[in-house]
Amino acid sequence: MQLYYSHNLNPRVAVAVARHLGSPLEFRRARPFHPAEIDSFRKLNPNTRVPVLVEDGHALWETDAIACRLSQLAGSAFWRSGAELPEMIKWISWGTHHLTRAADPLYFERVVRPRITKDYRPKDPAEFEEPLRDFRQHAAILDAGLKGRRWLLDSGLSYADFRVATALPFADAAGLPLREFPEVTRWHDQLLELPAWRAPFDGLE
């Protein structure tokens, strides 16, 4: 198996899952938008995005699908089944469509653009008032949901924790006000104790 990845948010989650599970695969850093690679990469994923998991010649796209498949192959409950599955899916969906979506403009502007733009000039901070307001609104919901619990699911660490935290390793660089939310901070500090989450790319490059 091969996992194609980059250092952006979703591929980082996929690599972290693979390393947390000890998945026996080959990691291949990809540049799907590079003019020299886009046509060949489109054969793996017509959306020309990473991550992509290739297993026996079959390409599986999308971070959540890859996490599900790697958990199946590992025989792991990291991707829950049974009674807890709906609760896990709830948090995965919520994290993707609310918390990470709010964080994404700040991550792109303050983490990605300086890396890819030759003459980078920061945008007016006023342009980020709305995503910051949205992030605070959703982080407050997460903060309340974490009170009295170590992880998002009662039974312990799951993929929901990784997925909801997608943007949080970049909180300082992106200017996300994470420290305003003590339960979220405490929970994410626990995640950072896991080597696979703290440094998923260590030793790959």
Side-chain angles (χ1 to χ4, degrees), residues 10-65:
N10 289 330
R12 185 190 187 281
V13 172
V15 172
V17 170
R19 303 203 79 180
H20 178 70
L21 294 172
S23 302
L25 48 77
E26 177 186 353
F27 295 92
R28 294 186 179 180
R29 189 168 182 182
R31 301 177 299 170
F33 292 121
H34 192 281
E37 298 183 24
I38 190 168
D39 288 337
S40 61
F41 198 83
R42 192 173 280 117
K43 296 174 184 177
L44 292 176
N45 183 355
N47 305 292
T48 60
R49 297 287 192 279
V50 285
V52 177
L53 178 69
V54 178
E55 179 187 358
D56 296 328
H58 172 72
L60 181 67
W61 350 305
E62 300 301 325
T63 305
D64 299 336

Side-chain angles (χ1 to χ4, degrees), residues 10 153 155:
N10 289 330
L153 300 185
S155 60

